[in-house]
Structure formats: C-alpha cells, structure tokens
Amino acid sequence: MRLPIIFAIDDDQQVLQAIQHDLRQQYRKKYRILATSSVREALDTLPELKKKGEEIALFLSDQRMPSMTGVEFLAQARKLFPNAKRALLTAYSDIDAAVRAINEVQLDYYIAKPWDPPEEKLYPVLDDLLDDWQSDYRPGHEGLKLIGYQFSPRSHDLKDFLAGNLFPYRWLDIESDPSAQELLDLHDIETKDLPAVVLENGTVLTQPSLSDLGEKLGLRPKASQALYDLAIIGAGPAGLAAAVYGGSEGLKTVLIDKRAPGGQAGTSSRIENYLGFPSGLSGADLTRRAITQAQRFGVEFLAPQEVMSIKSQGQYKHISMVDGSEVVARAIILSTGVAYHKLENKSLDKFTGAGVYYGAATTEAYAFKGKPVYIVGGGNSAGQGAMYLSRTASHVYICVRRPDLTETMSQYLIDQIASTPNITVMGCTEVVEALGNERMECLVLENMDSKERSTVEAAGLFIFIGTKPFTDWIEMDIIKDPKGFIATGRDLAKYADFKKVWRYSREPFALETCSAGIFAAGDVRAGAMNRVASAVGEGAMAVSFVHKYLAEN
Ligand SMILES: Cc1cc2nc3c(=O)[nH]c(=O)nc-3n(C[C@H](O)[C@H](O)[C@H](O)COP(=O)(O)OP(=O)(O)OC[C@H]3O[C@@H](n4cnc5c(N)ncnc54)[C@H](O)[C@@H]3O)c2cc1C
C-alpha cells in the first residue's frame, strides 16, 4: 500500500534539510516525506501526484520564498488537495501573516522557526494535525465498507452513525460506483438487503440496526456495574466535560449517549471560537480528544443507548434505557442538548434523508460534488455548513427570512462567506416546497417581499433552524420552561410548582434541577448560552455540585 505523503517546501536548503531530517525521524514509518526547495517544482509535482491518486496528509511550507509566499503556495495546494492539513513555517516577524492566513487559506497551524527541540515544538503539533487527518482519511480498499443507495434515509443514518462514532469507512453508492456491485457479488448480498456493511474481517451485516452495528464494532451499550456515583445522559460537549471531571476526580462515572459522542459539536466542520485553538478544530477532532480523555480517567461510555426515563428513589436514581436495561446512580447530570426544529412541510418530510438533511453537512458533502445545494438558516451552524459544502458543491445558496446574516451570524463567518465565490446569500427567501421522485431534485422558493415563486434545481437541502431540547422523554416532575428547557438553581423559585416538589432546607445548587441530585448542563438548560465553551464550562461546574450533593447524602 502507498503511504500518504507529508510535503515540505522551503527555499533555504539548510532549513529544508533540517525539516526533512526531523520529519523522517518521526514519521517515515507511516508517511512518505517529499521535500523541495523550489516552488516551481512543487507546483509541477502536485498535479502529477493527484493524477496518480496519491494522498497528501500535510503540507508544511515556509512563508518567505522568493517567487511566492507560503500562504500563496498553500492556497494553490489546497485547490488540489483540499483535505490535506496546512501548516506554515514562519519567522517571528511573519507571525501576523500566519494569523491572517488562518482565514485566507484555512491554515491549520503555524510553527515558529527554529523548532528545536522537535520533541517539544514540532512533533506534538504535527502529531495532532496528522491524527486529525487520519480520522477523516478513508483508505482506498481497506477497512469498513458501507454499501447502499445514496438517497436512502437508512444509508444516511448508518453513515451518520459511523462518522459520529469516528469509525473510518468507505461509502459505496450502488447506483454510481461499479465496485459496489462487485462487493455485492463477492459477498452474495442482494440489492433488496441494502444498506449493508462489510467489516474489515469480511463479516457482512445487512440492514443492521445501529445497536447491532455498534456492538459488532466494539461499542458497548450495556453498563458493567450495578451502581455508579454519577450518570451523565448525553455525550455532547457538556456531558463529555462532566465525564472528564467526574472521572478525574474519582467518581465512578457512566456516560450514556443515544447516538455517538460529540453531540451537535461533533457535527461541526470547524469550531473557530473554542479557547486555545486559534486555527479552529473540527467537531470530530474535539470529540476524539474528549472521549479519549474521559475513558483514560476510567469513565464507562455506553452508546448507542437511549435513556427512556429516570426516577428518583431517595438517594438512588434509576435510569431506564430503551433496550430494557437499567443503571442506578447516586447523581445524574442531564446534558441531552437540543435538536434542530423540523421544517413543517409534507413535501420536505418525504425527502428527509433523500436530499433533505437536518444539520448533516459533514457526512453528506461528497454526495453533492459539482451540484447545487441549498441551506436554510442564518446562524453559525448554517454558516459553517455552507463553508464546508462550498468545497465540493458547484454552488451553495443560503436561504434566510431576514434580509441578510448580520443579526444572526458571527462576523468571521460572514466574512468567509463573502469571500467564497460559490456561496450566495438569498435574503427574504423561504423554501416552500421540495419536488422530485425517488429523491429531491428541485425546490420552490418564495421571495417574502414580492411573493414571487421560482423553481430551482437543488440536489440537497440542509436545514439548520431553531432548536428544541431533548426533554420530552422526562416524565418525572422536573420543572421545564414553556419551551421545554430544564430550569435550574435560583430560577426555580419563580415557578409555582417548585415549593411543592423541593423538600430540602437548602436552596438548589446553581445547576441543580428541582429534583435534588439531578443536574442539568449545556444547551438543554433554560438560559444556556448555546456555545461549546459554555457547555463545557457547565459540564465541569455541574460536577463540583455533584460532589457537594454526594457529601451531604
Ligand atoms: C453544525 C453546528 C456548528 C456549531 N458550531 C459552533 C461553534 O463554532 N462554536 C460554538 O461555540 N458552538 C457551536 N455550535 C453549538 C454547540 O455545538 C452547542 O452549543 C453544544 O454542542 C451544546 O452541547 P451540549 O453538550 O449541551 O449538547 P449537544 O451537543 O446537543 O449534545 C447532546 C447529546 O445528548 C444526546 N442525547 C439526547 N437525548 C438523549 C437520550 N434520551 N439518551 C441518551 N443520549 C441523549 C444526543 O445524542 C447528543 O449527543 C454548533 C452547533 C452545530 C449544530
């Protein structure tokens, strides 16, 4: 098998030799190191590599080169290898250019010269970038394969599940990929049994449920212990942070998620405002780091496993799952987050998973290569989705009811969108109908001012609007606000029912619900900030209140 490439370029021969030496020293077993001092040679070589189907994992470029700056070179390289990580080697005086390049070429990192010792200043950064690249990399013919129809909701659910749980897989669309039929023949799979998964060891699973597939892939939906100090329901940023703090502070902790770790943040293509990551990081990267960290502290992670109900009996909280199993814990953190509102429209329902997707920009982007796609929503998630889709789609149209994005989206995303030629913002526009046969093919749009309607070709519609908390399943008398978000702490006092249910002489702790020992953190909590960092902060904070609660019970 051909190894993926690390491509280094620096016009200074001495520096080039040093970087080549350090890269070989650390990465030669897993990567081929290509290095050149000439921009011309590099620009001639890249198309050749592309033609041969070679993979480039990382570009490492000097900034100051005579014929072209490193940022300009990376911009060219990005056109051919958009998924490769990009790092700039900079002198101290060029750091401003590097920071600007974070937006211009979506730079992943800049490394200040000299980088001695590489064990401290080079390898940790490159290890991170390469791990991140590996987690998205789908090697040609190895590993897990998923075969199905592109516009089938069941195939979409499996893709979403595999990606969410960070399993690398290769997607084969039976209608457009000849090797899909070859695989079916090889494994005696009939098309009526699709979607099918072929595991690395050759085991075939036809139309698997998510829990069957999860179990075959080594995920654990069942708890190993009868009693835990802390059960965390929902493994988005809030739940993951609570798990890291619970585990690291010695609480016997179980973390449960109905789908995969990461929550909404896990679906984000690039989180740019999370502290400590100046070049942004993908939701998958954040999730991979956080779940590894939690498990290192001994946290047990159950997924896919949906919690159906909770009951409080004295100091014990009983948590029942959809598969009939039960976990008992002394305290609970509810971090079940939110889901996108459905656009109430029958014609859209018909195509959900077959052209219409709720928030799934990262899983489906490649299916829309060279085709026009539409986005509904004007928030940051819609903006990120548009940027991600613009890498593959022929054109991305963002439909918003407001005249523009200024009131709903962060300026950095508005700027990125404005400088991306294949994205158009359509203000005062509503999607009124989806048309098609097996899959969505066109959309009917209405201009809200003129009421004029137009029918446009649309291969995909990605919806990122409004959010609704995952709290319908909570039957016990936990007080929620009128929209279903969980009330906590001092806010509880304003609800008339609070006095009837709260039986303690103390006030509830800041993130405690009206049921002592049950806490809420992150987007599911009334008054939450809907940010990764605030969810993480609340998850960590909730654990400190869990300690206080456990100390008095
Ligand atoms: C595409 C996108 C991009 C975003 N970009 C940014 C950004 O750049 N910066 C930023 O600060 N914020 C961003 N956000 C917002 C941010 O992701 C959320 O605020 C954050 O994820 C909230 O975390 P949470 O843990 O509270 O909930 P969530 O992330 O919603 O996680 C909740 C988890 O609970 C699980 N769950 C729900 N019900 C159950 C149940 N009954 N049983 C078991 N598990 C259950 C769900 O499967 C889910 O995994 C973005 C959101 C989206 C969707």
Side-chain angles (χ1 to χ4, degrees):
M1 196 189 85
R2 281 179 302 192
L3 294 176
I5 294 168
I6 297 178
F7 197 104
I9 174 163
D10 196 311
D11 65 307
D12 182 326
Q13 284 290 354
Q14 239 178 338
V15 179
L16 188 70
Q17 271 170 17
I19 190 81
Q20 225 173 336
H21 169 269
D22 288 347
L23 290 173
R24 288 217 172 104
Q25 198 74 6
Q26 181 77 353
Y27 300 111
R28 66 170 181 274
K29 288 200 181 123
K30 285 184 157 178
Y31 299 90
R32 253 180 316 147
I33 316 295
L34 296 188
T36 173
S37 59
S38 148
V39 171
R40 190 66 274 143
E41 187 184 48
L43 292 178
D44 288 345
T45 310
L46 293 183
E48 293 304 315
L49 293 174
K50 181 84 191 172
K51 266 190 229 146
K52 288 187 199 154
E54 302 270 9
E55 292 284 355
I56 297 192
L58 170 72
F59 285 104
L60 194 55
S61 171
D62 182 33
Q63 166 65 357
R64 267 194 204 193
M65 298 185 286
S67 54
M68 194 180 241
T69 66
V71 173
E72 286 164 344
F73 169 74
L74 290 174
Q76 296 286 332
R78 184 177 171 217
K79 289 185 193 150
L80 286 168
F81 294 93
N83 297 324
K85 297 287 161 192
R86 292 173 286 276
L88 203 59
L89 281 172
T90 56
Y92 183 75
S93 53
D94 287 332
I95 284 179
D96 276 356
V99 172
R100 277 199 309 279
I102 290 174
N103 266 352
E104 278 168 43
V105 290
Q106 307 272 297
L107 187 72
D108 292 296
Y109 222 96
Y110 61 86
I111 295 160
K113 292 193 273 189
W115 55 84
D116 268 339
E119 289 73 16
E120 266 175 41
K121 294 189 180 157
L122 183 69
Y123 299 150
V125 171
L126 299 191
D127 284 351
D128 256 8
L129 294 178
L130 292 168
D131 279 356
D132 192 18
W133 181 84
Q134 283 286 356
S135 65
D136 281 340
Y137 174 48
R138 312 276 180 262
H141 295 284
E142 291 176 0
L144 200 87
K145 295 175 195 83
L146 169 62
I147 314 146
Y149 291 91
Q150 173 57 42
F151 293 97
S152 132
R154 293 185 77 162
S155 297
H156 170 66
D157 288 347
L158 290 172
K159 277 192 245 175
D160 209 37
F161 176 76
L162 289 170
N165 281 290
L166 312 170
F167 290 112
Y169 68 95
R170 181 169 167 219
W171 161 245
L172 297 120
D173 177 9
I174 187 70
E175 289 176 308
S176 63
D177 188 338
S179 49
Q181 188 58 50
E182 284 167 25
L183 259 183
L184 294 198
D185 296 342
L186 184 70
H187 293 283
D188 274 337
I189 307 168
E190 295 189 33
T191 45
K192 70 172 174 46
D193 295 327
L194 293 177
V197 175
V198 181
L199 304 183
E200 206 159 355
N201 63 7
T203 307
V204 174
L205 307 171
T206 52
Q207 301 191 344
S209 68
L210 300 188
S211 53
D212 283 349
L213 177 58
E215 239 174 307
K216 284 279 179 327
L217 292 172
L219 294 181
R220 232 168 14 135
K222 299 258 190 311
S224 68
Q225 316 264 329
L227 177 67
Y228 294 85
D229 295 322
L230 173 61
I232 302 162
I233 307 174
L240 284 164
V244 167
Y245 282 88
S248 66
E249 290 165 14
L251 297 177
K252 203 199 278 180
T253 303
V254 63
L255 173 66
I256 308 165
D257 201 286
K258 64 179 181 181
R259 194 186 74 97
Q264 298 165 71
T267 67
S268 167
S269 48
R270 201 171 169 95
I271 300 164
E272 306 215 31
N273 54 2
Y274 190 56
L275 184 72
F277 293 86
S279 321
L281 84 170
S282 70
D285 190 15
L286 179 66
T287 304
R288 184 169 46 75
R289 289 159 190 260
I291 192 72
T292 311
Q293 202 175 6
Q295 286 175 323
R296 188 166 71 82
F297 288 126
V299 172
E300 203 173 314
F301 178 49
L302 311 186
Q305 182 61 272
E306 183 168 356
V307 174
M308 211 176 58
S309 72
I310 48 174
K311 242 186 316 179
S312 191
Q313 284 180 340
Q315 312 104 299
Y316 299 109
K317 326 282 177 215
H318 295 257
I319 299 157
S320 307
M321 323 283 183
V322 273
D323 68 352
S325 59
E326 193 183 88
V327 167
V328 182
R330 295 167 65 213
I332 291 180
I333 295 177
L334 295 168
S335 45
T336 48
V338 297
Y340 288 111
H341 270 308
K342 286 199 76 182
L343 260 186
E344 288 309 327
N345 183 311
K346 283 221 170 69
S347 69
L348 293 184
D349 292 351
K350 184 175 150 200
F351 297 115
T352 301
V356 175
Y357 305 94
Y358 284 86
T362 47
T363 353
E364 294 295 349
Y366 281 91
F368 299 101
K369 200 165 179 200
K371 298 180 182 151
V373 298
Y374 283 73
I375 285 184
V376 176
N380 282 357
S381 49
Q384 281 183 14
M387 285 303 298
Y388 192 75
L389 287 161
S390 71
R391 291 156 56 172
T392 41
S394 60
H395 207 97
V396 181
Y397 299 88
I398 305 177
C399 300
V400 279
R401 288 188 172 148
R402 291 171 198 256
D404 55 37
L405 302 171
T406 42
E407 281 177 42
T408 50
M409 199 178 281
S410 296
Q411 193 58 42
Y412 77 89
L413 272 169
I414 295 180
D415 293 344
Q416 285 181 13
I417 286 170
S419 58
T420 307
N422 67 335
I423 304 183
T424 303
V425 180
M426 303 179 75
C428 306
T429 303
E430 257 187 334
V431 170
V432 288
E433 199 181 353
L435 307 170
N437 294 310
E438 298 289 298
R439 67 173 89 150
M440 188 188 76
E441 287 157 24
C442 295
L443 283 173
V444 181
L445 307 177
E446 182 175 285
N447 181 301
M448 295 170 67
D449 293 335
S450 64
K451 300 288 169 214
E452 214 174 283
R453 289 193 172 192
S454 52
T455 302
V456 293
E457 184 201 343
L461 176 68
F462 295 83
I463 299 166
F464 298 86
I465 49 156
T467 45
K468 162 174 157 316
F470 276 125
T471 52
D472 294 350
W473 57 275
I474 304 175
E475 281 166 4
M476 63 183 289
D477 46 8
I478 284 193
I479 295 174
K480 303 175 203 163
D481 75 4
K483 290 186 174 164
F485 291 92
I486 299 173
T488 53
R490 288 204 170 149
D491 283 354
L492 284 164
K494 68 181 184 210
Y495 292 88
D497 286 347
F498 174 59
K499 287 225 166 71
K500 290 189 216 152
V501 289
W502 185 256
R503 312 226 170 275
Y504 285 71
S505 54
R506 65 167 174 85
E507 282 190 2
F509 297 122
L511 300 177
E512 199 169 23
T513 67
C514 66
S515 179
I518 301 184
F519 299 81
D523 282 11
V524 77
R525 202 179 62 77
M529 303 299 293
N530 310 111
R531 292 280 185 279
V532 176
S534 51
V536 166
E538 289 190 8
M541 204 171 133
V543 172
S544 74
F545 294 120
V546 167
H547 282 296
K548 287 190 181 164
Y549 166 79
L550 292 178
E552 64 180 36
N553 283 277

